Short mmCIF file of all heavy atoms in Angstrom, two decimals:
data_model
loop_
_atom_site.label_atom_id
_atom_site.label_comp_id
_atom_site.label_asym_id
_atom_site.label_seq_id
_atom_site.Cartn_x
_atom_site.Cartn_y
_atom_site.Cartn_z
N LEU A 1048 -5.74 -9.07 1.19
CA LEU A 1048 -5.24 -7.89 1.88
C LEU A 1048 -6.27 -7.33 2.84
O LEU A 1048 -7.44 -7.71 2.81
CB LEU A 1048 -4.78 -6.81 0.89
CG LEU A 1048 -5.73 -6.32 -0.19
CD1 LEU A 1048 -6.55 -5.15 0.29
CD2 LEU A 1048 -4.91 -5.89 -1.38
N MET A 1049 -5.80 -6.46 3.72
CA MET A 1049 -6.67 -5.81 4.70
C MET A 1049 -6.41 -4.31 4.67
O MET A 1049 -5.26 -3.87 4.54
CB MET A 1049 -6.37 -6.35 6.11
CG MET A 1049 -7.16 -5.67 7.20
SD MET A 1049 -6.97 -6.40 8.84
CE MET A 1049 -5.23 -6.47 9.07
N LEU A 1050 -7.48 -3.53 4.77
CA LEU A 1050 -7.39 -2.07 4.82
C LEU A 1050 -7.75 -1.62 6.23
O LEU A 1050 -8.79 -2.00 6.76
CB LEU A 1050 -8.36 -1.44 3.81
CG LEU A 1050 -8.45 0.07 3.84
CD1 LEU A 1050 -7.18 0.68 3.27
CD2 LEU A 1050 -9.65 0.55 3.07
N ILE A 1051 -6.87 -0.83 6.82
CA ILE A 1051 -7.13 -0.23 8.13
C ILE A 1051 -7.17 1.27 7.93
O ILE A 1051 -6.26 1.84 7.32
CB ILE A 1051 -6.02 -0.60 9.14
CG1 ILE A 1051 -5.80 -2.11 9.18
CG2 ILE A 1051 -6.38 -0.08 10.53
CD1 ILE A 1051 -4.57 -2.53 9.95
N SER A 1052 -8.24 1.92 8.39
CA SER A 1052 -8.38 3.37 8.20
C SER A 1052 -8.68 4.06 9.51
O SER A 1052 -9.44 3.56 10.33
CB SER A 1052 -9.48 3.66 7.18
OG SER A 1052 -10.70 3.11 7.61
N ALA A 1053 -8.05 5.22 9.71
CA ALA A 1053 -8.25 6.03 10.91
C ALA A 1053 -8.31 7.50 10.49
O ALA A 1053 -7.70 7.90 9.49
CB ALA A 1053 -7.12 5.81 11.91
N LYS A 1054 -9.03 8.30 11.24
CA LYS A 1054 -9.16 9.73 10.96
C LYS A 1054 -7.79 10.41 10.90
O LYS A 1054 -6.88 10.06 11.64
CB LYS A 1054 -9.98 10.43 12.04
CG LYS A 1054 -11.47 10.35 11.83
CD LYS A 1054 -11.85 11.10 10.60
CE LYS A 1054 -13.24 11.66 10.71
NZ LYS A 1054 -13.65 12.27 9.46
N SER A 1055 -7.68 11.38 9.99
CA SER A 1055 -6.41 12.06 9.78
C SER A 1055 -6.59 13.57 9.83
O SER A 1055 -7.55 14.10 9.29
CB SER A 1055 -5.84 11.67 8.42
OG SER A 1055 -4.72 12.44 8.10
N ARG A 1056 -5.63 14.26 10.45
CA ARG A 1056 -5.60 15.72 10.41
C ARG A 1056 -4.70 16.21 9.29
O ARG A 1056 -4.73 17.38 8.92
CB ARG A 1056 -5.07 16.26 11.73
CG ARG A 1056 -5.96 16.00 12.90
CD ARG A 1056 -5.41 16.67 14.13
NE ARG A 1056 -5.98 16.05 15.31
CZ ARG A 1056 -5.34 15.85 16.43
NH1 ARG A 1056 -4.09 16.23 16.56
NH2 ARG A 1056 -5.93 15.30 17.46
N GLU A 1057 -3.89 15.32 8.75
CA GLU A 1057 -2.89 15.69 7.75
C GLU A 1057 -3.37 15.49 6.32
O GLU A 1057 -2.61 15.74 5.39
CB GLU A 1057 -1.63 14.85 7.97
CG GLU A 1057 -1.07 14.93 9.35
CD GLU A 1057 -0.02 13.88 9.61
OE1 GLU A 1057 0.43 13.22 8.65
OE2 GLU A 1057 0.35 13.70 10.77
N GLY A 1058 -4.56 15.01 6.13
CA GLY A 1058 -5.03 14.70 4.78
C GLY A 1058 -4.76 13.25 4.44
O GLY A 1058 -4.47 12.43 5.31
N LEU A 1059 -4.83 12.92 3.18
CA LEU A 1059 -4.67 11.55 2.71
C LEU A 1059 -3.25 11.05 2.93
O LEU A 1059 -2.28 11.65 2.47
CB LEU A 1059 -5.01 11.47 1.22
CG LEU A 1059 -4.84 10.11 0.55
CD1 LEU A 1059 -5.79 9.09 1.15
CD2 LEU A 1059 -5.06 10.22 -0.93
N LYS A 1060 -3.13 9.95 3.65
CA LYS A 1060 -1.85 9.27 3.86
C LYS A 1060 -2.12 7.77 3.74
O LYS A 1060 -3.05 7.25 4.34
CB LYS A 1060 -1.27 9.56 5.25
CG LYS A 1060 -0.90 11.00 5.48
CD LYS A 1060 0.34 11.37 4.72
CE LYS A 1060 0.76 12.79 5.03
NZ LYS A 1060 1.90 13.20 4.25
N ILE A 1061 -1.27 7.09 2.96
CA ILE A 1061 -1.43 5.65 2.74
C ILE A 1061 -0.10 4.97 3.01
O ILE A 1061 0.92 5.36 2.45
CB ILE A 1061 -1.89 5.35 1.31
CG1 ILE A 1061 -3.23 6.05 1.02
CG2 ILE A 1061 -2.03 3.84 1.09
CD1 ILE A 1061 -3.66 5.95 -0.43
N GLY A 1062 -0.13 3.94 3.86
CA GLY A 1062 1.06 3.16 4.15
C GLY A 1062 0.86 1.72 3.73
O GLY A 1062 -0.26 1.21 3.72
N LEU A 1063 1.95 1.05 3.39
CA LEU A 1063 1.90 -0.35 2.99
C LEU A 1063 2.66 -1.19 4.00
O LEU A 1063 3.75 -0.81 4.43
CB LEU A 1063 2.53 -0.53 1.61
CG LEU A 1063 1.93 0.29 0.47
CD1 LEU A 1063 2.72 0.07 -0.80
CD2 LEU A 1063 0.47 -0.05 0.27
N SER A 1064 2.08 -2.32 4.36
CA SER A 1064 2.73 -3.25 5.27
C SER A 1064 2.80 -4.62 4.60
O SER A 1064 1.77 -5.27 4.40
CB SER A 1064 1.93 -3.33 6.58
OG SER A 1064 2.48 -4.29 7.43
N VAL A 1065 4.00 -5.02 4.24
CA VAL A 1065 4.22 -6.30 3.57
C VAL A 1065 5.27 -7.05 4.39
O VAL A 1065 6.45 -6.71 4.34
CB VAL A 1065 4.68 -6.11 2.11
CG1 VAL A 1065 4.82 -7.45 1.42
CG2 VAL A 1065 3.71 -5.21 1.35
N SER A 1066 4.84 -8.07 5.14
CA SER A 1066 5.75 -8.76 6.05
C SER A 1066 6.57 -9.83 5.33
O SER A 1066 6.33 -10.15 4.17
CB SER A 1066 4.96 -9.40 7.19
OG SER A 1066 4.29 -10.55 6.72
N LYS A 1067 7.49 -10.42 6.07
CA LYS A 1067 8.34 -11.47 5.52
C LYS A 1067 7.55 -12.74 5.21
O LYS A 1067 8.03 -13.61 4.50
CB LYS A 1067 9.48 -11.79 6.47
CG LYS A 1067 10.55 -10.73 6.50
CD LYS A 1067 11.72 -11.17 7.35
CE LYS A 1067 12.80 -10.11 7.34
NZ LYS A 1067 13.95 -10.52 8.16
N LYS A 1068 6.34 -12.85 5.75
CA LYS A 1068 5.49 -14.00 5.45
C LYS A 1068 5.08 -14.01 3.98
O LYS A 1068 4.75 -15.06 3.43
CB LYS A 1068 4.24 -13.99 6.32
CG LYS A 1068 4.51 -14.23 7.78
CD LYS A 1068 3.23 -14.14 8.58
CE LYS A 1068 3.51 -14.27 10.06
NZ LYS A 1068 2.30 -14.10 10.86
N VAL A 1069 5.08 -12.84 3.35
CA VAL A 1069 4.70 -12.73 1.94
C VAL A 1069 5.76 -13.34 1.04
O VAL A 1069 5.45 -13.93 0.01
CB VAL A 1069 4.42 -11.25 1.57
CG1 VAL A 1069 4.18 -11.10 0.09
CG2 VAL A 1069 3.25 -10.73 2.37
N GLY A 1070 7.03 -13.21 1.41
CA GLY A 1070 8.09 -13.79 0.60
C GLY A 1070 9.42 -13.10 0.85
O GLY A 1070 9.55 -12.31 1.79
N ASN A 1071 10.38 -13.37 -0.02
CA ASN A 1071 11.69 -12.75 0.13
C ASN A 1071 11.62 -11.27 -0.29
O ASN A 1071 10.57 -10.78 -0.69
CB ASN A 1071 12.76 -13.52 -0.64
CG ASN A 1071 12.51 -13.54 -2.14
OD1 ASN A 1071 11.73 -12.76 -2.66
ND2 ASN A 1071 13.18 -14.45 -2.83
N SER A 1072 12.73 -10.58 -0.23
CA SER A 1072 12.72 -9.13 -0.48
C SER A 1072 12.28 -8.78 -1.89
O SER A 1072 11.59 -7.79 -2.11
CB SER A 1072 14.09 -8.53 -0.19
OG SER A 1072 15.06 -9.07 -1.07
N VAL A 1073 12.67 -9.60 -2.86
CA VAL A 1073 12.26 -9.35 -4.25
C VAL A 1073 10.75 -9.45 -4.37
O VAL A 1073 10.09 -8.58 -4.98
CB VAL A 1073 12.96 -10.35 -5.20
CG1 VAL A 1073 12.45 -10.20 -6.61
CG2 VAL A 1073 14.46 -10.17 -5.15
N THR A 1074 10.15 -10.46 -3.77
CA THR A 1074 8.70 -10.65 -3.81
C THR A 1074 7.98 -9.54 -3.08
O THR A 1074 6.98 -9.00 -3.57
CB THR A 1074 8.33 -12.02 -3.19
OG1 THR A 1074 9.05 -13.04 -3.87
CG2 THR A 1074 6.85 -12.28 -3.30
N ARG A 1075 8.49 -9.17 -1.89
CA ARG A 1075 7.85 -8.10 -1.12
C ARG A 1075 7.87 -6.78 -1.89
O ARG A 1075 6.88 -6.06 -1.93
CB ARG A 1075 8.53 -7.92 0.24
CG ARG A 1075 8.30 -9.09 1.17
CD ARG A 1075 8.70 -8.77 2.60
NE ARG A 1075 10.04 -8.23 2.76
CZ ARG A 1075 11.14 -8.96 2.95
NH1 ARG A 1075 11.07 -10.27 2.98
NH2 ARG A 1075 12.30 -8.37 3.12
N ASN A 1076 8.99 -6.45 -2.51
CA ASN A 1076 9.08 -5.21 -3.28
C ASN A 1076 8.18 -5.25 -4.51
O ASN A 1076 7.58 -4.24 -4.86
CB ASN A 1076 10.53 -4.93 -3.68
CG ASN A 1076 11.35 -4.47 -2.51
OD1 ASN A 1076 10.85 -3.76 -1.64
ND2 ASN A 1076 12.59 -4.88 -2.46
N HIS A 1077 8.05 -6.41 -5.13
CA HIS A 1077 7.13 -6.56 -6.26
C HIS A 1077 5.70 -6.31 -5.82
O HIS A 1077 4.94 -5.59 -6.49
CB HIS A 1077 7.28 -7.95 -6.87
CG HIS A 1077 6.34 -8.22 -7.98
ND1 HIS A 1077 6.45 -7.61 -9.21
CD2 HIS A 1077 5.25 -9.02 -8.06
CE1 HIS A 1077 5.48 -8.04 -10.00
NE2 HIS A 1077 4.74 -8.89 -9.32
N VAL A 1078 5.32 -6.87 -4.68
CA VAL A 1078 3.96 -6.69 -4.15
C VAL A 1078 3.73 -5.22 -3.83
O VAL A 1078 2.66 -4.67 -4.14
CB VAL A 1078 3.74 -7.58 -2.90
CG1 VAL A 1078 2.50 -7.18 -2.14
CG2 VAL A 1078 3.68 -9.04 -3.31
N LYS A 1079 4.71 -4.55 -3.24
CA LYS A 1079 4.56 -3.12 -2.93
C LYS A 1079 4.40 -2.28 -4.19
O LYS A 1079 3.59 -1.35 -4.23
CB LYS A 1079 5.75 -2.61 -2.09
CG LYS A 1079 5.70 -3.10 -0.66
CD LYS A 1079 6.77 -2.45 0.18
CE LYS A 1079 8.02 -3.27 0.14
NZ LYS A 1079 9.05 -2.81 1.08
N ARG A 1080 5.15 -2.61 -5.24
CA ARG A 1080 5.00 -1.88 -6.51
C ARG A 1080 3.61 -2.09 -7.10
O ARG A 1080 2.99 -1.14 -7.59
CB ARG A 1080 6.07 -2.33 -7.52
CG ARG A 1080 7.44 -1.76 -7.25
CD ARG A 1080 8.39 -1.96 -8.41
NE ARG A 1080 8.53 -3.34 -8.81
CZ ARG A 1080 9.40 -4.20 -8.29
NH1 ARG A 1080 10.21 -3.80 -7.32
NH2 ARG A 1080 9.48 -5.43 -8.73
N LEU A 1081 3.11 -3.33 -7.05
CA LEU A 1081 1.75 -3.61 -7.54
C LEU A 1081 0.71 -2.81 -6.75
O LEU A 1081 -0.22 -2.23 -7.33
CB LEU A 1081 1.43 -5.10 -7.44
CG LEU A 1081 2.06 -6.03 -8.45
CD1 LEU A 1081 1.73 -7.47 -8.11
CD2 LEU A 1081 1.60 -5.70 -9.85
N LEU A 1082 0.85 -2.79 -5.43
CA LEU A 1082 -0.10 -2.06 -4.59
C LEU A 1082 -0.05 -0.56 -4.88
O LEU A 1082 -1.11 0.08 -5.00
CB LEU A 1082 0.19 -2.32 -3.11
CG LEU A 1082 -0.16 -3.71 -2.59
CD1 LEU A 1082 0.38 -3.91 -1.19
CD2 LEU A 1082 -1.67 -3.93 -2.61
N ARG A 1083 1.14 0.01 -5.00
CA ARG A 1083 1.25 1.44 -5.29
C ARG A 1083 0.60 1.79 -6.62
O ARG A 1083 -0.08 2.81 -6.74
CB ARG A 1083 2.72 1.88 -5.30
CG ARG A 1083 3.25 2.15 -3.92
CD ARG A 1083 4.61 2.84 -4.01
NE ARG A 1083 5.46 2.24 -3.02
CZ ARG A 1083 6.45 1.39 -3.26
NH1 ARG A 1083 6.76 1.08 -4.48
NH2 ARG A 1083 7.15 0.89 -2.28
N GLU A 1084 0.80 0.95 -7.62
CA GLU A 1084 0.21 1.20 -8.94
C GLU A 1084 -1.31 1.08 -8.89
O GLU A 1084 -2.02 1.89 -9.49
CB GLU A 1084 0.79 0.22 -9.97
CG GLU A 1084 0.35 0.48 -11.37
CD GLU A 1084 0.75 1.85 -11.90
OE1 GLU A 1084 1.82 2.35 -11.51
OE2 GLU A 1084 -0.02 2.43 -12.69
N ALA A 1085 -1.82 0.10 -8.17
CA ALA A 1085 -3.27 -0.08 -8.04
C ALA A 1085 -3.90 1.10 -7.30
O ALA A 1085 -4.99 1.56 -7.65
CB ALA A 1085 -3.58 -1.39 -7.32
N ILE A 1086 -3.20 1.62 -6.29
CA ILE A 1086 -3.70 2.77 -5.54
C ILE A 1086 -3.69 4.01 -6.42
O ILE A 1086 -4.61 4.83 -6.36
CB ILE A 1086 -2.87 2.98 -4.26
CG1 ILE A 1086 -3.11 1.84 -3.28
CG2 ILE A 1086 -3.21 4.31 -3.60
CD1 ILE A 1086 -2.09 1.76 -2.17
N ALA A 1087 -2.67 4.17 -7.24
CA ALA A 1087 -2.56 5.35 -8.10
C ALA A 1087 -3.76 5.46 -9.04
O ALA A 1087 -4.17 6.57 -9.39
CB ALA A 1087 -1.27 5.30 -8.90
N LEU A 1088 -4.32 4.34 -9.44
CA LEU A 1088 -5.47 4.36 -10.36
C LEU A 1088 -6.72 4.96 -9.72
O LEU A 1088 -7.55 5.56 -10.41
CB LEU A 1088 -5.78 2.94 -10.85
CG LEU A 1088 -4.71 2.30 -11.73
CD1 LEU A 1088 -5.09 0.86 -12.03
CD2 LEU A 1088 -4.50 3.09 -13.00
N ILE A 1089 -6.88 4.79 -8.41
CA ILE A 1089 -8.10 5.28 -7.74
C ILE A 1089 -7.80 6.36 -6.71
O ILE A 1089 -8.68 6.76 -5.95
CB ILE A 1089 -8.86 4.12 -7.06
CG1 ILE A 1089 -8.02 3.46 -5.98
CG2 ILE A 1089 -9.35 3.12 -8.08
CD1 ILE A 1089 -8.81 2.56 -5.06
N GLU A 1090 -6.57 6.88 -6.70
CA GLU A 1090 -6.14 7.82 -5.65
C GLU A 1090 -7.02 9.06 -5.55
O GLU A 1090 -7.31 9.53 -4.45
CB GLU A 1090 -4.69 8.22 -5.92
CG GLU A 1090 -4.02 8.91 -4.79
CD GLU A 1090 -2.52 9.01 -5.01
OE1 GLU A 1090 -2.04 8.73 -6.11
OE2 GLU A 1090 -1.84 9.38 -4.05
N GLU A 1091 -7.45 9.60 -6.67
CA GLU A 1091 -8.26 10.82 -6.63
C GLU A 1091 -9.67 10.57 -6.11
O GLU A 1091 -10.36 11.51 -5.72
CB GLU A 1091 -8.31 11.49 -8.01
CG GLU A 1091 -9.07 10.72 -9.07
CD GLU A 1091 -8.26 9.61 -9.73
OE1 GLU A 1091 -7.04 9.53 -9.51
OE2 GLU A 1091 -8.87 8.81 -10.45
N LYS A 1092 -10.10 9.32 -6.05
CA LYS A 1092 -11.44 8.98 -5.56
C LYS A 1092 -11.46 8.61 -4.08
O LYS A 1092 -12.51 8.47 -3.50
CB LYS A 1092 -12.02 7.82 -6.37
CG LYS A 1092 -12.25 8.15 -7.82
CD LYS A 1092 -12.81 6.94 -8.53
CE LYS A 1092 -12.97 7.21 -10.01
NZ LYS A 1092 -13.43 6.01 -10.73
N ILE A 1093 -10.28 8.45 -3.48
CA ILE A 1093 -10.19 8.02 -2.09
C ILE A 1093 -10.43 9.22 -1.17
O ILE A 1093 -9.90 10.31 -1.39
CB ILE A 1093 -8.81 7.41 -1.80
CG1 ILE A 1093 -8.60 6.15 -2.65
CG2 ILE A 1093 -8.67 7.06 -0.33
CD1 ILE A 1093 -7.20 5.58 -2.56
#
């Protein structure tokens, strides 16, 4: 994965980009759920 970060005036905002190259819709949604859960573990430290 790759992390892209830019200055924000709105506070912490995190977006996920999972393209069709990753897999079908079931696979992409599974990857997004894994990423959201992994982010939730360290969210207060970001």
Side-chain angles (χ1 to χ4, degrees):
L1048 54 89
M1049 176 173 52
L1050 175 72
I1051 308 169
S1052 57
K1054 276 295 210 186
S1055 172
R1056 293 185 200 144
E1057 305 168 11
L1059 177 64
K1060 295 287 184 183
I1061 301 172
L1063 303 176
S1064 176
V1065 183
S1066 75
K1067 286 186 178 180
K1068 292 177 184 176
V1069 173
N1071 63 16
S1072 63
V1073 174
T1074 305
R1075 291 193 309 270
N1076 286 324
H1077 177 70
V1078 167
K1079 287 187 270 188
R1080 284 193 304 272
L1081 285 175
L1082 288 171
R1083 278 191 222 106
E1084 186 61 34
I1086 292 165
L1088 294 175
I1089 62 166
E1090 193 168 11
E1091 68 278 350
K1092 296 180 184 176
I1093 298 173

